[in-house]
Amino acid sequence: MTLFGKLCLSAALSLGLTGAASAADFTMKIAAGAAPDGNVCKNYLDVWAEEVKEKSGGRIDYQMFCGGTLAKMGDAVNRVSQGVADVAWDLPGFYGARFAGLTAIGVPGLYTDPEPASGALWNAYAAGDLGTIDEVKVLWVQAVNNNSFFMAKPLEDYTNLNGTKMGMGSQIRAKVLEALNGVPIAIKVPEYYQAMSKGAVDGLMTTAGAVFDFGIEELVKEIYDAPFGGGLTFVVMNKDFYNSLPDDLKAVIDETTGYDRSKWASAYLRDEEHGTVTAAGINIRTATDAEVEALQPAITSGRTAFLASAPENPGFVAAIEAQLAKE
């Protein structure tokens, strides 16, 4: 090779012109308030993002921003709407009545298995039966496992909490706890560890994901499982980002989200949490039939509180129940 040829080859290599992959046409900034090493940012959001990258032929890439660095829980939807993040995971329950149609899935007694519940919820939302969300594009929903009690100290009787202080994050859970003579303490998930470690709460009414993502399992001595109702996370996208994509890349987003992704999301979380709790070796008590019967007034109290809190709520629950019957 001549000296000129060698110089040309060197220049090509330095400029990446020898067949190396070109830069992506679009890069999604994906935000989550969850811990970087937890089950939201590892093996969940990244799995979807890698699938989008592959199906788009590398034309859509992504960057992950976890731990609240770009968007905190309860504010991620706002950050996506503002264009600070392109995609974000968040908890609709943090927004009060803003997403009441979706959060209706958390009413106690609606489901035991979150996988079909997610499918039903998505179909009810897609049909327009749960209200409209104009500020962002909802990519998928994730019904989570029913809430449990995660206790710093075991209780002899969970059907009467007798003043036990319980951290939680929704009106429905508060009503259930009050009906059990407990004291609900409204705190956000990132505050759970400090509240429990300092004795501000005696336990948490939440799911395993919220506990294990933040290392709270080291404070938990017992888990009490009962049909207390589930909850919800969702993933949303900035509408301007979506609309900026050409039709073939919009199709990639559409293909990897929606009904099937919603069911996949809940199945993943259900199975992952089961394995995590089992491996942790924490004592688990499951409510007996007699205890479930004793808990029914409290469970009904949570459902009644939601139905009565807004005139549209009974319709939301009815729509979800109709879709659950089809699942």
Side-chain angles (χ1 to χ4, degrees):
M1 181 180 291
T2 65
L3 177 60
F4 178 75
K6 290 179 179 179
L7 290 172
C8 289
L9 176 60
S10 176
L13 289 171
S14 66
L15 292 172
L17 301 179
T18 59
S22 60
D25 297 332
F26 301 89
T27 300
M28 301 183 292
K29 298 189 296 292
I30 303 176
D37 58 349
N39 63 11
V40 172
C41 292
K42 294 181 66 175
N43 301 320
Y44 181 55
L45 288 178
D46 56 342
V47 169
W48 170 73
E50 282 291 336
E51 187 175 336
V52 169
K53 183 176 180 179
E54 179 183 354
K55 288 181 180 296
S56 70
R59 293 166 63 198
I60 301 178
D61 206 344
Y62 67 96
Q63 294 176 310
M64 298 285 293
F65 298 87
C66 294
T69 56
L70 195 62
K72 299 183 183 301
M73 291 184 194
D75 191 40
V77 174
N78 301 328
R79 303 289 273 179
V80 168
S81 177
Q82 296 159 1
V84 176
D86 301 309
V87 177
W89 168 93
D90 208 354
L91 283 72
F94 281 173
Y95 295 85
R98 185 170 166 185
F99 303 116
L102 292 178
T103 57
I105 194 68
V107 170
L110 279 185
Y111 68 88
T112 54
D113 186 348
E115 183 179 357
S118 271
L121 183 64
W122 179 264
N123 282 339
Y125 172 70
D129 295 333
L130 303 180
T132 58
I133 298 174
D134 296 324
E135 63 266 45
V136 293
K137 176 179 176 62
V138 178
L139 296 183
W140 72 84
V141 297
Q142 182 193 54
V144 304
N145 293 322
N146 271 238
N147 288 278
S148 300
F149 290 164
F150 294 81
M151 307 302 299
K153 294 180 181 179
L155 296 182
E156 183 176 343
D157 181 9
Y158 286 100
T159 66
N160 185 352
L161 296 179
N162 195 26
T164 301
K165 296 175 292 184
M166 299 293 293
M168 51 89 239
S170 80
Q171 181 189 30
I172 296 175
R173 296 179 212 172
K175 291 298 182 182
V176 171
L177 290 168
E178 288 172 350
L180 293 173
N181 298 317
V183 179
I185 307 293
I187 50 177
K188 293 185 177 181
V189 175
E191 301 167 341
Y192 280 178
Y193 187 96
Q194 184 175 20
M196 199 161 175
S197 65
K198 293 184 178 298
V201 298
D202 304 306
L204 301 168
M205 187 180 188
T206 187
T207 61
V211 169
F212 286 87
D213 270 10
F214 290 88
I216 304 168
E217 69 274 12
E218 67 185 46
L219 306 175
V220 176
K221 299 298 185 291
E222 185 165 84
I223 301 171
Y224 183 70
D225 287 338
F228 291 127
L232 177 72
T233 79
F234 64 178
V235 175
V236 301
M237 174 176 276
N238 177 274
K239 284 190 170 183
D240 289 338
F241 180 87
Y242 178 80
N243 290 330
S244 73
L245 300 173
D247 288 345
D248 62 330
L249 293 186
K250 285 179 182 174
V252 170
I253 300 299
D254 296 342
E255 179 187 348
T256 58
T257 57
Y259 174 83
D260 289 336
R261 182 63 59 177
S262 295
K263 294 190 69 173
W264 170 86
S266 287
Y268 156 73
L269 185 64
R270 176 197 62 207
D271 299 342
E272 195 274 342
E273 286 188 352
H274 175 75
T276 301
V277 170
T278 301
I282 302 171
N283 184 54
I284 301 173
R285 278 178 56 183
T286 301
T288 64
D289 290 343
E291 287 173 334
V292 170
E293 184 176 352
L295 291 168
Q296 282 306 313
I299 291 171
T300 300
S301 178
R303 179 185 176 95
T304 300
F306 180 82
L307 294 177
S309 61
E312 61 270 23
N313 285 358
F316 293 154
V317 173
I320 293 171
E321 289 176 328
Q323 292 293 342
L324 279 168
K326 297 177 183 179
E327 290 286 323

